[in-house]
PDB file of all heavy atoms in Angstrom:
ATOM      1  N   LEU K 137      97.340  85.458  41.243  1.00 94.00           N
ATOM      2  CA  LEU K 137      97.744  84.373  40.347  1.00 94.00           C
ATOM      3  C   LEU K 137      97.894  83.125  41.204  1.00 94.00           C
ATOM      4  O   LEU K 137      98.807  83.040  42.032  1.00 94.00           O
ATOM      5  CB  LEU K 137      99.060  84.711  39.652  1.00 94.00           C
ATOM      6  CG  LEU K 137      99.685  83.623  38.798  1.00 94.00           C
ATOM      7  CD1 LEU K 137      98.746  83.224  37.653  1.00 94.00           C
ATOM      8  CD2 LEU K 137     101.029  84.086  38.246  1.00 94.00           C
ATOM      9  N   LEU K 138      96.971  82.190  41.037  1.00 90.00           N
ATOM     10  CA  LEU K 138      97.004  80.964  41.822  1.00 90.00           C
ATOM     11  C   LEU K 138      97.781  79.879  41.090  1.00 90.00           C
ATOM     12  O   LEU K 138      97.682  79.770  39.861  1.00 90.00           O
ATOM     13  CB  LEU K 138      95.584  80.451  42.086  1.00 90.00           C
ATOM     14  CG  LEU K 138      94.884  81.006  43.322  1.00 90.00           C
ATOM     15  CD1 LEU K 138      94.629  82.476  43.214  1.00 90.00           C
ATOM     16  CD2 LEU K 138      93.623  80.240  43.580  1.00 90.00           C
ATOM     17  N   PRO K 139      98.520  79.064  41.827  1.00 82.00           N
ATOM     18  CA  PRO K 139      99.174  77.919  41.193  1.00 82.00           C
ATOM     19  C   PRO K 139      98.111  77.013  40.566  1.00 82.00           C
ATOM     20  O   PRO K 139      96.979  76.921  41.075  1.00 82.00           O
ATOM     21  CB  PRO K 139      99.880  77.209  42.358  1.00 82.00           C
ATOM     22  CG  PRO K 139      99.932  78.199  43.463  1.00 82.00           C
ATOM     23  CD  PRO K 139      98.788  79.140  43.254  1.00 82.00           C
ATOM     24  N   ALA K 140      98.449  76.342  39.476  1.00 75.00           N
ATOM     25  CA  ALA K 140      97.494  75.515  38.735  1.00 75.00           C
ATOM     26  C   ALA K 140      96.781  74.513  39.643  1.00 75.00           C
ATOM     27  O   ALA K 140      95.571  74.297  39.511  1.00 75.00           O
ATOM     28  CB  ALA K 140      98.206  74.796  37.593  1.00 75.00           C
ATOM     29  N   GLU K 141      97.508  73.926  40.598  1.00 78.00           N
ATOM     30  CA  GLU K 141      96.901  72.907  41.456  1.00 78.00           C
ATOM     31  C   GLU K 141      95.868  73.486  42.433  1.00 78.00           C
ATOM     32  O   GLU K 141      95.060  72.752  43.001  1.00 78.00           O
ATOM     33  CB  GLU K 141      97.979  72.116  42.221  1.00 78.00           C
ATOM     34  CG  GLU K 141      98.800  72.910  43.196  1.00 78.00           C
ATOM     35  CD  GLU K 141     100.030  73.594  42.579  1.00 78.00           C
ATOM     36  OE1 GLU K 141     100.167  73.606  41.342  1.00 78.00           O
ATOM     37  OE2 GLU K 141     100.844  74.115  43.354  1.00 78.00           O
ATOM     38  N   LEU K 142      95.860  74.810  42.587  1.00 75.00           N
ATOM     39  CA  LEU K 142      94.886  75.442  43.485  1.00 75.00           C
ATOM     40  C   LEU K 142      93.819  76.232  42.743  1.00 75.00           C
ATOM     41  O   LEU K 142      92.939  76.825  43.375  1.00 75.00           O
ATOM     42  CB  LEU K 142      95.608  76.381  44.461  1.00 75.00           C
ATOM     43  CG  LEU K 142      96.624  75.738  45.402  1.00 75.00           C
ATOM     44  CD1 LEU K 142      97.303  76.804  46.241  1.00 75.00           C
ATOM     45  CD2 LEU K 142      95.961  74.697  46.276  1.00 75.00           C
ATOM     46  N   ALA K 143      93.863  76.252  41.436  1.00 69.00           N
ATOM     47  CA  ALA K 143      92.954  77.084  40.638  1.00 69.00           C
ATOM     48  C   ALA K 143      91.484  76.768  40.880  1.00 69.00           C
ATOM     49  O   ALA K 143      90.633  77.654  40.782  1.00 69.00           O
ATOM     50  CB  ALA K 143      93.287  76.953  39.155  1.00 69.00           C
ATOM     51  N   GLN K 144      91.160  75.523  41.202  1.00 73.00           N
ATOM     52  CA  GLN K 144      89.762  75.127  41.424  1.00 73.00           C
ATOM     53  C   GLN K 144      89.304  75.346  42.867  1.00 73.00           C
ATOM     54  O   GLN K 144      88.122  75.238  43.169  1.00 73.00           O
ATOM     55  CB  GLN K 144      89.584  73.644  41.051  1.00 73.00           C
ATOM     56  CG  GLN K 144      89.943  73.305  39.620  1.00 73.00           C
ATOM     57  CD  GLN K 144      89.048  73.993  38.615  1.00 73.00           C
ATOM     58  OE1 GLN K 144      87.861  74.217  38.863  1.00 73.00           O
ATOM     59  NE2 GLN K 144      89.599  74.368  37.464  1.00 73.00           N
ATOM     60  N   GLU K 145      90.234  75.637  43.743  1.00 75.00           N
ATOM     61  CA  GLU K 145      89.904  75.800  45.168  1.00 75.00           C
ATOM     62  C   GLU K 145      89.304  77.187  45.424  1.00 75.00           C
ATOM     63  O   GLU K 145      89.729  78.164  44.816  1.00 75.00           O
ATOM     64  CB  GLU K 145      91.162  75.616  46.024  1.00 75.00           C
ATOM     65  CG  GLU K 145      91.824  74.266  45.880  1.00 75.00           C
ATOM     66  CD  GLU K 145      90.965  73.124  46.367  1.00 75.00           C
ATOM     67  OE1 GLU K 145      90.209  73.317  47.344  1.00 75.00           O
ATOM     68  OE2 GLU K 145      91.048  72.036  45.770  1.00 75.00           O
ATOM     69  N   LEU K 147      89.854  79.499  47.452  1.00 84.00           N
ATOM     70  CA  LEU K 147      90.731  80.225  48.367  1.00 84.00           C
ATOM     71  C   LEU K 147      90.641  81.733  48.183  1.00 84.00           C
ATOM     72  O   LEU K 147      90.864  82.497  49.125  1.00 84.00           O
ATOM     73  CB  LEU K 147      92.182  79.777  48.163  1.00 84.00           C
ATOM     74  CG  LEU K 147      92.449  78.284  48.370  1.00 84.00           C
ATOM     75  CD1 LEU K 147      93.838  77.924  47.894  1.00 84.00           C
ATOM     76  CD2 LEU K 147      92.260  77.942  49.832  1.00 84.00           C
ATOM     77  N   ARG K 156      91.429  81.601  34.809  1.00 90.00           N
ATOM     78  CA  ARG K 156      92.239  80.380  34.732  1.00 90.00           C
ATOM     79  C   ARG K 156      92.793  80.106  33.334  1.00 90.00           C
ATOM     80  O   ARG K 156      93.798  79.421  33.206  1.00 90.00           O
ATOM     81  CB  ARG K 156      91.474  79.174  35.280  1.00 90.00           C
ATOM     82  CG  ARG K 156      90.207  78.823  34.542  1.00 90.00           C
ATOM     83  CD  ARG K 156      89.362  77.846  35.298  1.00 90.00           C
ATOM     84  NE  ARG K 156      88.726  78.582  36.377  1.00 90.00           N
ATOM     85  CZ  ARG K 156      88.178  78.036  37.437  1.00 90.00           C
ATOM     86  NH1 ARG K 156      88.158  76.766  37.582  1.00 90.00           N
ATOM     87  NH2 ARG K 156      87.627  78.777  38.360  1.00 90.00           N
ATOM     88  N   ALA K 159      96.297  82.006  33.301  1.00 92.00           N
ATOM     89  CA  ALA K 159      97.307  81.737  34.334  1.00 92.00           C
ATOM     90  C   ALA K 159      98.576  81.083  33.797  1.00 92.00           C
ATOM     91  O   ALA K 159      99.631  81.194  34.420  1.00 92.00           O
ATOM     92  CB  ALA K 159      96.694  80.875  35.430  1.00 92.00           C
ATOM     93  N   GLU K 160      98.509  80.451  32.643  1.00 94.00           N
ATOM     94  CA  GLU K 160      99.690  79.767  32.085  1.00 94.00           C
ATOM     95  C   GLU K 160     100.764  80.736  31.570  1.00 94.00           C
ATOM     96  O   GLU K 160     101.902  80.337  31.355  1.00 94.00           O
ATOM     97  CB  GLU K 160      99.267  78.849  30.936  1.00 94.00           C
ATOM     98  CG  GLU K 160      98.801  79.627  29.705  1.00 94.00           C
ATOM     99  CD  GLU K 160      98.247  78.756  28.600  1.00 94.00           C
ATOM    100  OE1 GLU K 160      97.051  78.399  28.683  1.00 94.00           O
ATOM    101  OE2 GLU K 160      99.014  78.444  27.669  1.00 94.00           O
ATOM    102  N   PHE K 171     100.113  84.109  44.823  1.00 84.00           N
ATOM    103  CA  PHE K 171      99.503  83.408  45.950  1.00 84.00           C
ATOM    104  C   PHE K 171     100.502  82.414  46.490  1.00 84.00           C
ATOM    105  O   PHE K 171     100.927  81.496  45.802  1.00 84.00           O
ATOM    106  CB  PHE K 171      98.220  82.688  45.502  1.00 84.00           C
ATOM    107  CG  PHE K 171      97.418  82.131  46.628  1.00 84.00           C
ATOM    108  CD1 PHE K 171      96.509  82.912  47.305  1.00 84.00           C
ATOM    109  CD2 PHE K 171      97.593  80.815  47.032  1.00 84.00           C
ATOM    110  CE1 PHE K 171      95.765  82.402  48.357  1.00 84.00           C
ATOM    111  CE2 PHE K 171      96.849  80.295  48.085  1.00 84.00           C
ATOM    112  CZ  PHE K 171      95.941  81.088  48.743  1.00 84.00           C
ATOM    113  N   VAL K 173     101.634  79.496  49.167  1.00 70.00           N
ATOM    114  CA  VAL K 173     101.030  78.444  49.985  1.00 70.00           C
ATOM    115  C   VAL K 173     101.847  78.249  51.244  1.00 70.00           C
ATOM    116  O   VAL K 173     103.026  78.272  51.263  1.00 70.00           O
ATOM    117  CB  VAL K 173     100.961  77.115  49.206  1.00 70.00           C
ATOM    118  CG1 VAL K 173     100.309  76.038  50.046  1.00 70.00           C
ATOM    119  CG2 VAL K 173     100.206  77.313  47.917  1.00 70.00           C
TER     120      VAL K 173
END
Side-chain angles (χ1 to χ4, degrees):
L137 174 61
L138 272 65
E141 64 273 10
L142 298 177
Q144 301 296 327
E145 300 295 326
L147 301 169
R156 62 193 75 197
E160 69 186 83
F171 189 85
V173 181

